[in-house]
Amino acid sequence: MKIRLNPIVKKDLQVTVRSMRMSWGLFAYEAALTIAFLVALAFIQDAASYSYSDNIYSYLIYLFPVVAVAQVCIVALYVPIITASSISGEKERQTFDIMLTTCMSPFAIVFGKVISAVLRIIFFVIASTPIMALSFVVGGLSWSYLFYYLLAVILFSVFAGSIGIFASAFCRKSVAALLLSFVIYFVIFVLTFVPPIYRSVFAGGGYGESAGESMLPLLWNPVVFFEEFFSQMMTGNSIMATLRDSLDRDEVGILTYVLARGKVWMFTSAGCILLLSFLFMALAAWKVNPMHAGSGRRRGKKKVD
C-alpha cells in the first residue's frame, strides 16, 4: 500500500534539505542548546559546591528542563519565521494563483505548510537528543518522558505554525505576517493572565483569592501548559492542583476546581491548544480559498471604481 504524501510537504522538504540554510539553521540550533547546556551545567556545579551532598549527579536532572525550555523558546521564534512567509511569500513571488490551480483543497495547502514546519522541528529535536540524553542517563529520569516531551514539542510546533500560517494568509507581505504572528503571541501568552490577575487583585484583595472561572483562559496559554508539563515530570505534582487545594471551591470556581485535578488540567490544556491551532488553520484556509479571496478583490475594485 503506497502512502500518499501531501505535495506541499514533499516539495517544501525537498527544497529545504537541499539548501545550506537548513544546515546552518541546524548548526545555530545546536550551538544555542550547547550554550544553554554549558551555562546550566556551570550553575549546577556551583550549586552543588555549596550543598552538603557530594553527589553532583543528582543535580543533573535539572539539565533537562533548562535545555527543554531553551528548545521551546527557539521553536517559538523559529516556526513563525518559517510559516509567516508560506502564503505571503507565494504572493510576493506571484506564484499564489498557480498554487490555487492545483487539485488540492485550501485546507490541504494550509495543513501541508504547517506539517512541513513541524517536520523541520522534529529534525532539530532529534538532532539535539544527545545533548538532552545526559539528564536521562545520570539524572534518573524515565526515557518515556523524552517521548512525552517530543509530543509536547510537536503540539507546540503545530500551534506556532498555525499562528504563522494564519498571519501569512491575511497579510500580503512576509514582514507584516511575522509582526502579526508575534502580536498574536502577545495576546495568547500575556493577555490571558489579565483576567485572573484582575479578578484576584480587584475582586479578592489578594493573589489567588476569588479567582473564579477567570483561570479558564489559561487553558489556551502554552506557557501554563509547559509549566504543568515540567512540574508533572519533575515532581509528579500539578501546579494548578496545588492552587486548587489551597483555596475553597467558591474561590477557585466550580469548573476550574474540577479541571485542576491531577493531570486533567494538562490534558485539557493540550486539547484546547490543539483546537485553537485547527481554528487558526481553518481561518487561514477560508482566507486562502479563491472564492473568498476573489470576492474581497471584487469588492475592493468596486470601491475604487
Side-chain angles (χ1 to χ4, degrees):
M1 181 178 178
K2 186 177 180 180
I3 300 176
R4 295 184 59 185
L5 186 65
N6 188 301
I8 298 292
V9 178
K10 184 178 180 180
K11 188 264 293 182
D12 287 348
L13 289 181
Q14 287 178 346
V15 173
T16 300
V17 298
R18 292 174 182 174
S19 64
M20 286 299 298
R21 184 180 301 178
M22 178 70 174
S23 300
W24 284 112
L26 184 59
F27 173 78
Y29 179 81
E30 295 290 343
L33 288 184
T34 302
I35 293 173
F37 178 85
L38 294 177
V39 171
L41 186 61
F43 277 101
I44 288 174
Q45 289 178 338
D46 185 66
S49 63
Y50 288 99
S51 65
Y52 294 99
S53 176
D54 296 331
N55 185 16
I56 189 178
Y57 296 104
S58 60
Y59 290 88
L60 294 178
I61 191 175
Y62 297 103
L63 287 173
F64 170 67
V66 172
V67 177
V69 169
Q71 278 189 329
V72 172
C73 292
I74 295 174
V75 170
L77 295 175
Y78 182 68
V79 174
I81 296 176
I82 301 175
T83 54
S85 60
S86 298
I87 304 299
S88 58
E90 299 284 350
K91 296 177 183 178
E92 293 173 348
R93 293 188 297 267
Q94 297 182 353
T95 57
F96 178 68
D97 293 334
I98 299 176
M99 183 178 61
L100 293 179
T101 58
T102 61
C103 59
M104 297 181 63
S105 64
F107 187 82
I109 294 174
V110 170
F111 189 73
K113 293 288 186 180
V114 174
I115 293 301
S116 63
V118 172
L119 290 178
R120 297 187 205 181
I121 296 301
I122 293 177
F123 292 157
F124 287 3
V125 173
I126 293 176
S128 65
T129 301
I131 299 177
M132 303 182 64
L134 183 59
S135 59
F136 289 88
V137 174
V138 297
L141 285 175
S142 174
W143 286 99
S144 60
Y145 291 166
L146 185 61
F147 174 73
Y148 298 147
Y149 171 71
L150 179 60
L151 293 180
V153 172
I154 292 175
L155 173 65
F156 183 69
S157 301
V158 173
F159 174 75
S162 64
I163 292 177
I165 201 71
F166 169 81
S168 182
F170 280 83
C171 297
R172 291 188 173 273
K173 299 295 183 179
S174 299
V175 176
L178 184 59
L179 292 176
L180 179 58
S181 299
F182 287 110
V183 169
I184 298 174
Y185 267 2
F186 177 79
V187 173
I188 297 177
F189 289 177
V190 178
L191 295 187
T192 51
F193 284 101
V194 173
I197 293 176
Y198 177 84
R199 183 72 181 271
S200 299
V201 173
F202 294 97
Y207 181 76
E209 296 182 359
S210 301
E213 306 299 354
S214 61
M215 303 288 291
L216 294 180
L218 298 178
L219 287 170
W220 283 269
N221 194 323
V223 175
V224 179
F225 167 76
F226 276 105
E227 286 181 352
E228 278 287 302
F229 180 79
F230 288 121
S231 177
Q232 290 282 352
M233 286 199 304
M234 301 298 295
T235 65
N237 299 322
S238 171
I239 297 176
M240 300 303 298
T242 303
L243 178 62
R244 164 185 175 269
D245 294 337
S246 62
L247 299 173
D248 295 332
R249 181 177 301 182
D250 295 335
E251 295 175 342
V252 179
I254 297 177
L255 186 57
T256 306
Y257 189 86
V258 174
L259 293 177
R261 176 182 299 175
K263 298 181 180 179
V264 178
W265 181 277
M266 183 179 66
F267 287 113
T268 305
S269 179
C272 291
I273 293 173
L274 187 62
L275 180 63
L276 188 60
S277 302
F278 278 99
L279 177 61
F280 279 123
M281 286 189 284
L283 292 175
W286 177 86
K287 184 64 177 178
V288 169
N289 193 322
M291 299 296 295
H292 302 133
S295 61
R297 286 195 293 266
R298 287 194 295 269
R299 287 194 297 267
K301 290 180 179 180
K302 289 181 180 179
K303 291 180 180 180
V304 172
D305 295 338

